[in-house]
Amino acid sequence: MTEQYDVASVRGLYTGLSDGWTYLNAHSSPQIAERVASGVARSFRTSATVKPQEDGGGAHSAHRAPGELNAADMYASARRAVADLTGATAERVVLGPSLPVLYQSLALALRPLLRRRSSVVLSRFDPPELSGAFERLSADIRWAQPDLGTGELPAFQYAELVDGSTRFVAFSAAHALLGTVTPTEEIIDAVHERSRAWTLVDVSDVAPYRLLDFDEIGADIVGVDVGKLGGPQIAALVFRDTAMFRRLDEIVVGPVSPGLAGGVGPLADHCAALAGGERGSRRVRLTRSLTALSSYMEELTGDLYSLLGTLPAVHILGVTGEAAADASDDRIPRLTFAVRDVPAGVIHRRLFDNGLVTTTAPHTPLLTEMGVEEIGGAVTVSLSPFSTYHDIEHLTRVVASLA
């Protein structure tokens, strides 16, 4: 049975909301739940302390080296938490300080897979700091292009880009600023029909709103930035199975803070508590919780797009205009918009003056090609698990005052 999503109770899990601001900037600075903040603080206090020593000299006590620190348990806890969040198992999880660092390490480790005349398919849909890690591979680099009218990543082009020489394909499951969702299943099916290439999917921007199931995603590797879920600044790669490690060079990443690693478990516990009830394993509770959250977010996403979209002076990138007539309705609750004849800085300031925290949209290559600079810049808004219909109404009223 699906648990009821009680947004008032969810708001109580975030003590930062008591300051009176309406936070619509989850894409850039997700709010930190009290359980996560407390978990990180506790981990920093205890990571350098010695584990309690067991009495006696039995077989079990032999597994613990004298002077072993609690930090080791924090890494293990983080891997279990990522596994629960993605529907995987802990031994398939590799931790790193950030997703760009993990991607750079993976790029080096991929060398045994690449042969003479191998090809790699990357995506202009992705942030350059992520795709750039694989541009230097010794392979023919091919690029999938987003649709400049909708901001989506069409699946059909992979039938032409992927062939028997392709060894690796990487793309993101959603766009952080536009809210567009990639047809992941279609792309992976196209890749597998034409090659034995490994697929890497960055699910970081979908994870805050939807239940992740590794097997349903269908990728060989999944990347997730835990910080984008409101967790500590840490990231992970999750592999299809451990046999994949034997085909790679060693994945060497920079050190991960044990204090931050200790906050990943509390993040998973927090997500499981949104609407997961009290019974069952953490993965079971996560399934109930995130299924309820997804339904709630789907309703808010429709409200966000429909209310802002009714304002005639508002242009929503990838939605407004004839070029976006065939845009998909499958979106996460994020969008980037402009107001006719009103500079983005003025929009951002008006929203801030009315208690709404948003961001001016950065000039990324994709947004620039979609014309964001020509219309005087744009503002990005994104919802969180604690967002309400009232927040969207308030946003719409303030934007309407500018039109």
Side-chain angles (χ1 to χ4, degrees):
M1 183 181 71
T2 302
E3 295 290 331
Q4 196 70 20
Y5 194 82
D6 182 358
V7 69
S9 296
V10 170
R11 291 180 66 84
L13 303 176
Y14 295 84
T15 56
L17 300 183
S18 61
D19 60 7
W21 293 95
T22 298
Y23 289 98
L24 299 174
N25 62 338
H27 59 284
S28 62
S29 299
Q31 290 298 298
I32 309 299
E34 179 59 28
R35 177 176 288 191
V36 178
S38 298
V40 170
R42 183 171 58 251
S43 299
F44 272 105
R45 283 198 308 270
T46 62
S47 61
T49 60
V50 176
K51 292 182 181 179
Q53 297 298 298
E54 296 180 2
D55 294 332
H60 294 290
S61 63
H63 295 293
R64 180 167 295 178
E68 187 175 357
L69 301 181
N70 282 302
D73 286 347
M74 293 170 185
Y75 295 127
S77 171
R79 284 190 287 271
R80 289 194 301 271
V82 171
D84 284 343
L85 286 166
T86 57
T89 51
E91 69 274 8
R92 294 149 53 189
V93 176
V94 176
L95 301 175
S98 70
L99 215 49
V101 169
L102 280 169
Y103 275 24
Q104 291 166 13
S105 301
L106 178 62
L108 294 174
L110 284 172
R111 287 179 295 188
L113 291 183
L114 303 179
R115 299 290 183 265
R116 191 163 172 253
R117 297 180 180 175
S118 294
S119 65
V120 168
V121 180
L122 306 177
S123 165
R124 298 291 187 193
F125 181 83
D126 295 356
E129 60 269 23
L130 294 183
S131 59
F134 303 110
E135 286 188 66
R136 293 181 290 275
L137 290 173
S138 298
D140 173 23
I141 306 298
R142 303 170 182 175
W143 290 95
Q145 302 291 342
D147 185 302
L148 298 184
T150 64
E152 299 168 4
L153 184 65
F156 68 83
Q157 61 189 311
Y158 284 84
E160 300 177 359
L161 293 168
V162 176
D163 57 30
S165 71
T166 307
R167 295 291 177 266
F168 183 72
V169 177
F171 60 92
S172 297
H175 195 279
L177 307 177
L178 299 175
T180 51
V181 175
T182 303
T184 299
E185 184 177 349
E186 291 181 48
I187 293 175
I188 292 176
D189 285 347
V191 172
H192 289 167
E193 285 176 7
R194 293 162 178 80
S195 72
R196 294 183 295 173
W198 285 4
T199 53
L200 165 64
V201 179
D202 175 11
V203 299
S204 303
D205 292 299
V206 172
Y209 308 112
R210 301 182 180 183
L211 175 69
L212 300 177
D213 187 303
F214 191 98
D215 293 336
E216 289 186 6
I217 295 169
D220 297 287
I221 310 170
V222 162
V224 58
D225 182 342
V226 176
K228 288 193 173 185
L229 283 80
Q233 297 303 310
I234 191 172
L237 295 177
V238 186
F239 288 76
R240 173 173 32 82
D241 57 57
T242 56
M244 296 175 69
F245 296 134
R246 296 195 291 270
R247 299 187 59 190
L248 298 170
D249 284 342
E250 183 180 1
I251 301 177
V252 180
V253 298
V256 176
S257 162
L260 295 179
V264 185
L267 171 68
D269 292 335
H270 162 74
C271 292
L274 293 176
E278 302 295 332
R279 303 181 63 180
S281 67
R282 183 165 62 188
R283 177 60 186 178
V284 168
R285 288 180 284 115
L286 276 166
T287 299
R288 289 197 295 260
S289 183
L290 294 177
T291 298
L293 171 63
S294 179
S295 296
Y296 178 70
M297 283 288 121
E298 186 175 347
E299 293 180 10
L300 285 191
T301 301
D303 294 334
L304 176 65
Y305 277 86
S306 62
L307 288 181
L308 275 183
T310 59
L311 302 178
V314 169
H315 177 90
I316 302 175
L317 271 69
V319 174
T320 305
E322 293 182 7
D326 296 325
S328 170
D329 291 332
D330 187 13
R331 292 177 175 269
I332 56 175
R334 298 179 180 181
L335 57 76
T336 295
F337 74 96
V339 178
R340 188 185 309 122
D341 299 327
V342 182
V346 174
I347 303 170
H348 182 253
R349 185 71 209 186
R350 177 69 66 86
L351 294 172
F352 187 79
D353 289 344
N354 284 271
L356 295 157
V357 183
T358 62
T359 67
T360 52
H363 292 175
T364 67
L366 176 55
L367 294 190
T368 296
E369 289 191 40
M370 292 180 72
V372 71
E373 295 175 21
E374 298 172 10
I375 57 177
V379 169
T380 300
V381 299
S382 55
L383 305 186
S384 300
F386 51 77
S387 297
T388 66
Y389 180 76
H390 172 75
D391 298 337
I392 299 172
E393 280 190 316
H394 183 32
L395 169 70
T396 305
R397 284 194 299 270
V398 177
V399 174
S401 71
L402 287 160

